[in-house]
Amino acid sequence: MKLDNFKAVTFDVYGTLVNWEPVIGGFLAEWAADNGVQATEDDLIQAYDDARAHYQTLRPAMPYPKVMKSSFAYICDRWQIPVDTARQNAFAASIKDWLPFPDT
């Protein structure tokens, strides 16, 4: 196998090189506590991943900050909590806080 046999090499960054779960889980756990939502951090991460998959299926090229904002609204709707736009924007901005896995 030679590297010059390939035109492109791709790899997954999300969840492979970058560990998004601690930031998203912590953010949503704080949101849940502030809004009286009874859900585990795992439940909240799963809700986020369901929402993310939903929006990326509808529009695969959607910019990721928009995916984050839409997913936050989806989660709010799931637990019947009004969307706080400041918190929604902070959620989308949390991407900058995601850290690589130690072996990355």
Side-chain angles (χ1 to χ4, degrees):
M1 185 180 300
K2 295 174 150 183
L3 285 179
D4 59 356
N5 289 342
F6 300 92
K7 293 181 181 180
V9 176
T10 65
F11 56 92
D12 180 34
V13 173
Y14 177 84
T16 303
L17 300 177
V18 175
N19 188 5
W20 56 271
E21 287 188 15
V23 173
I24 288 179
F27 190 101
L28 293 175
E30 184 177 315
W31 166 84
D34 291 348
N35 287 283
V37 171
Q38 298 296 315
T40 67
E41 193 168 313
D42 285 343
D43 293 337
L44 295 164
I45 288 172
Q46 185 62 56
Y48 166 75
D49 205 39
D50 292 345
R52 178 209 51 79
H54 170 76
Y55 288 109
Q56 288 187 308
T57 298
L58 290 176
R59 195 168 149 215
M62 181 185 286
Y64 212 78
K66 178 70 175 159
V67 171
M68 297 282 291
K69 285 182 179 184
S70 298
S71 297
F72 186 80
Y74 183 104
I75 292 165
C76 290
D77 185 60
R78 178 172 172 174
W79 275 280
Q80 300 178 341
I81 304 296
V83 176
D84 173 336
T85 55
R87 198 169 236 175
Q88 182 183 38
N89 290 332
F91 185 66
S94 73
I95 293 169
K96 69 180 178 354
D97 300 325
W98 298 359
L99 298 176
F101 286 102
D103 62 348
T104 298

